[in-house]
Amino acid sequence: MLFPNKWRNYLQQMVEQPVNQLRSIGGTLVTIGLVSLFFLI
């Protein structure tokens, strides 16, 4: 992988986030992915 130290720092920051915020981010990313998939098909 590229930039292993940056990835490690990023993952450490993600672990420190509250669970509700991670759920919101995950739900938003899933929604964006589904909408993008819908427009590509």
Side-chain angles (χ1 to χ4, degrees), residues 5-17:
N5 290 331
K6 287 186 180 183
W7 276 103
R8 183 180 294 147
N9 292 338
Y10 176 71
L11 290 175
Q12 183 64 33
Q13 290 175 356
M14 290 297 288
V15 168
E16 294 172 358
Q17 297 297 320

Side-chain angles (χ1 to χ4, degrees), residues 18-33:
V19 174
N20 290 335
Q21 187 173 5
L22 292 175
R23 284 186 182 143
S24 298
I25 292 170
T28 302
L29 291 175
V30 167
T31 302
I32 291 170

